[in-house]
């Protein structure tokens, strides 16, 4: 017998956008349910435990800019204190990019400053004609940038966007620059990002291990027409509205089927918006061999384009060591690292750290003091299949709006890839939840939904 339940609103995905949307909707729709494929909540907010006396973030760790809904929510609802960091902090230039070694960001040369100016002012560029987008690599070449400047941009900007310069599209990069209003500093919470997820999940009706396989939303234009959400194991939720917050990769790969099929405009936009992979290589050490005030290093031309070493208040004093470094590798480079496997990735990262911090009296400080390693590969997460969307080469203006557009007032979409300002950060995800929640409140006929008969519980 098919197990069914009825809810005013069903939300697919218990990541940040899904949980925040449920938080915003619960007063209007107390029976809102969140359906999560994994056996945990949080989506791309996830922690690695046992490496340090505090949880290490497998997903987002920095908050990009103080002017954001995430910062306001965390401060007001949880009392979170944020510390601000300037970024970049340090650079390392190996022999292949000039050989200067470690350089503080305040002391970088004009070539690096010109790259910052180029990307910082890209919103002033004219939009490429429709159908004729260019990559950031082509754009920089046309500007006369040197190979060293290309390497700087690859490590500092493309890697941060979650892609390579070849994958980074000028059209959406311009829109992202024009729409960015969060500020330029990096913020760090005084606790794990998991605290925000725990807060949002508290009291919410969440069904984990609920893998959605199909959504049927036909039934004409009558108010309150029911949506049928089916799981892979035969369970059914009927609802007046469904909010889909899954990563764009899940939709692109057809993991959820829609009946009727999504429009040609939406599927075309889906085909053009891309999500890259991210790999984090986490290493713990028995000692600190870097400057105490150093927190981040950008490394043009190196195996890991960026790494950081952060400290948080201990939550598990007996776990791991307080000396941890996280390498951040994105885009095509992450695909290459994924193929080489975790052992090789850790070995390559140790070699990089030995090169950067080695001294005549201590030539292999990283390799000689490593305690434990862990590799996070987001492409291997079956219900994520990547990290976050980036300004995609070949995307057209309006693609993000097409992804975000509701269908028949019954099927709604949220998640960072649907952010019309091309903001893939955590505040971007929350902004889409706010937009979708407002759309649902406006569209759902509560009175019509309330007359539906209650069905047996999940």
């Amino acid at each position: 017998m098919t197990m069914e339940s009825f809810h005013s609103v069903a939300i697919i995905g218990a990541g940040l956008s899904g949980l925040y949307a449920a938080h915003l909707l619960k007063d209007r729709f107390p029976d809102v349910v969140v359906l999560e494929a994994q056996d945990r909540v949080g989506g791309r907010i996830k922690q690695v435990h046992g490496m340090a006396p505090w949880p290490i973030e497998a997903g987002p760790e920095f908050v990009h800019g103080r002017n954001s809904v995430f910062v306001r929510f965390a401060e007001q609802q949880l009392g979170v204190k944020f510390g601000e960091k300037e970024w970049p902090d340090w650079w390392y230039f190996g022999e292949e990019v000039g050989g200067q070694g470690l350089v503080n960001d305040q002391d970088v040369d004009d070539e690096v400053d010109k790259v910052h100016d180029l990307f910082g002012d890209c919103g002033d560029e004219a939009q490429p004609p429709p159908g004729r987008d260019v990559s950031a690599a082509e754009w920089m070449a046309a500007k006369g940038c040197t190979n060293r400047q290309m390497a700087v941009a690859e490590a500092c900007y493309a890697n941060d966007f979650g892609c390579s310069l070849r994958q980074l599209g000028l059209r959406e990069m311009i829109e992202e620059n024009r729409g960015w209003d969060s500020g330029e500093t990096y913020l760090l919470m005084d606790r794990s990002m998991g605290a925000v997820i725990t807060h949002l999940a508290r009291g919410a009706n969440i069904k984990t291990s609920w893998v959605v396989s199909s959504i049927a939303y036909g039934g004409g234009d009558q108010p309150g027409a029911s949506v049928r959400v089916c799981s892979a194991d035969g369970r059914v939720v009927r609802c007046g509205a469904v909010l889909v917050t899954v990563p764009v990769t899940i939709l692109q790969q057809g993991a959820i089927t829609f009946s009727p099929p999504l429009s040609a405009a939406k599927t075309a936009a889906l085909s053009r918006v891309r999500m890259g992979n991210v790999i984090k290589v986490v290493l713990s050490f028995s000692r600190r061999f870097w400057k105490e005030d150093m927190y981040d290093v950008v490394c043009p031309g190196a195996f890991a384009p960026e790494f950081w070493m952060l400290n948080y208040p201990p939550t598990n004093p007996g776990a791991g060591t307080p000396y941890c470094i996280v390498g951040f590798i994105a885009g095509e480079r992450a695909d290459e690292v994924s193929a080489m496997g975790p052992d090789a990735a850790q070995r390559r990262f140790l070699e990089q750290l030995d090169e950067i911090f080695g001294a005549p009296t201590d030539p292999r400080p990283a390799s000689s003091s490593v305690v434990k390693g862990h590799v996070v590969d987001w492409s291997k997460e079956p219900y994520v299949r990547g990290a976050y969307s980036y300004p995609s080469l070949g995307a057209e203006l309006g693609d993000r709006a097409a992804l975000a557009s509701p269908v028949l007032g019954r099927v709604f979409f949220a998640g960072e890839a649907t952010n019309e300002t091309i903001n893939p950060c955590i505040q971007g995800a929350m902004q889409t939840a706010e937009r979708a929640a407002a759309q649902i409140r406006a569209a759902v006929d509560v009175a019509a939904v309330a007359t539906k008969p209650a069905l047996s519980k999940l």
Side-chain angles (χ1 to χ4, degrees):
M1 180 178 177
T2 300
M3 298 294 290
E4 294 190 337
S5 69
F6 179 83
H7 301 268
S8 300
V9 179
I11 297 173
I12 302 176
L16 182 58
S17 59
L19 291 176
Y20 188 49
H23 170 79
L24 296 172
L25 290 168
K26 64 183 180 182
D27 287 344
R28 176 81 176 271
F29 308 107
D31 65 338
V32 59
V33 64
V34 182
L35 308 175
E36 169 55 48
Q38 300 186 80
D39 60 1
R40 63 173 184 86
V41 298
R44 284 168 270 184
I45 296 180
K46 177 183 176 182
Q47 291 74 41
V48 175
H49 298 273
M51 299 287 294
W54 51 81
I56 290 178
E57 302 293 344
E61 188 157 3
F62 298 96
V63 182
H64 295 246
R66 174 166 286 280
N67 180 33
S68 82
V69 58
F70 180 86
V71 172
R72 292 191 293 272
F73 182 86
E75 287 179 335
Q76 295 169 9
Q77 299 294 319
L78 284 80
V80 168
K81 303 297 183 185
F82 287 91
E84 293 193 17
K85 299 281 190 181
E86 294 294 328
W87 182 85
D89 181 29
W90 286 80
W91 296 78
Y92 178 76
F93 297 98
E95 292 300 327
E96 65 276 12
V97 284
Q100 295 100 323
L102 277 169
V103 180
N104 188 272
D105 186 59
Q106 296 179 349
D107 301 319
V108 294
D109 53 65
D110 288 345
E111 267 199 315
V112 176
D113 287 336
K114 288 177 182 176
V115 174
H116 288 322
D117 291 341
L118 191 63
F119 278 80
D121 296 335
C122 73
D124 297 334
E125 297 282 317
Q127 277 286 1
R132 293 170 56 188
D133 198 10
V134 299
S135 71
E138 294 169 320
W139 173 63
M140 291 185 70
K143 295 286 187 181
C145 292
T146 66
N147 289 339
R148 183 168 178 268
Q149 287 175 317
M150 290 283 197
V152 166
E154 194 78 67
C156 186
Y157 288 97
N159 193 64
D160 191 52
F161 273 122
C163 60
S164 68
L165 288 176
R166 295 193 316 166
Q167 297 170 311
L168 187 57
L170 181 60
R171 189 190 320 284
E172 285 202 324
M173 198 170 77
I174 290 171
E175 288 304 293
E176 187 273 344
N177 183 275
R178 291 174 178 174
W180 184 262
D181 61 358
S182 296
E184 299 305 321
T185 56
Y186 275 35
L187 276 70
L188 290 170
M189 292 176 56
D190 61 359
R191 66 201 74 177
S192 168
M193 288 207 175
V196 175
I197 297 300
T198 299
H199 179 84
L200 286 171
R202 189 176 296 122
N205 182 10
I206 303 170
K207 308 297 182 184
T208 56
S209 301
W210 216 101
V211 182
V212 173
S213 60
S214 65
I215 299 172
Y217 60 94
D221 298 325
Q222 67 270 30
S226 182
V227 178
R228 191 170 188 264
V229 182
C230 298
S231 73
D233 59 3
R235 287 174 288 177
V236 175
V237 163
R238 293 186 183 274
C239 52
V242 62
L243 172 58
V244 181
T245 73
V246 300
V248 67
T249 45
I250 302 301
L251 298 178
Q252 289 170 335
Q253 296 169 26
I256 300 174
T257 61
F258 291 83
S259 179
L262 297 176
S263 69
K266 193 178 285 287
T267 54
L270 270 173
S271 72
R272 291 188 289 260
V273 173
R274 300 295 180 188
M275 187 164 89
N277 187 27
V278 161
I279 285 179
K280 283 188 171 183
V281 184
V282 185
L283 299 174
S284 65
F285 301 93
S286 59
R287 61 189 174 106
R288 178 174 53 79
F289 48 82
W290 54 90
K291 293 176 180 290
E292 189 171 5
D293 62 348
M294 178 182 287
Y295 91 91
D296 178 86
V297 184
V298 177
C299 308
F303 169 74
E306 184 178 10
F307 62 86
W308 51 78
M309 38 295 235
L310 302 171
N311 289 288
Y312 294 93
T315 56
N316 188 2
T321 80
Y323 313 114
C324 288
I325 298 182
V326 177
F328 185 83
I329 307 165
E332 291 178 309
R333 187 184 300 264
D335 295 336
E336 295 170 1
V337 175
S338 180
M340 73 173 56
D343 292 342
Q346 291 177 53
R347 183 172 63 253
R348 289 285 304 276
F349 191 34
L350 284 169
E351 292 170 356
Q352 177 179 341
L353 296 174
D354 285 338
E355 176 187 328
I356 294 173
F357 295 108
T361 57
D362 190 10
R364 300 174 69 242
S367 296
S368 64
S369 59
V370 64
V371 174
K372 191 185 298 186
H374 182 84
V375 175
V376 178
D377 184 346
W378 280 98
S379 71
K380 302 293 177 61
E381 294 285 331
Y383 301 112
V384 182
R385 307 178 192 179
Y388 46 86
S389 66
Y390 56 85
S392 305
L393 178 63
E396 297 290 348
L397 295 179
D399 277 352
R400 305 298 178 121
L403 293 184
S405 62
V407 180
L408 295 180
R410 297 175 206 141
V411 185
F412 301 83
F413 296 86
E416 51 83 15
T418 72
N419 190 295
E420 294 185 40
T421 61
I422 333 293
N423 184 341
C425 302
I426 49 180
Q427 64 264 36
M430 293 179 77
Q431 288 168 354
T432 69
E434 291 179 329
R435 181 254 305 149
Q439 290 171 332
I440 290 170
R441 284 192 295 264
V444 172
D445 187 327
V446 179
V449 171
T451 63
K452 296 288 183 177
L455 301 172
S456 59
K457 294 183 178 179
L458 286 174

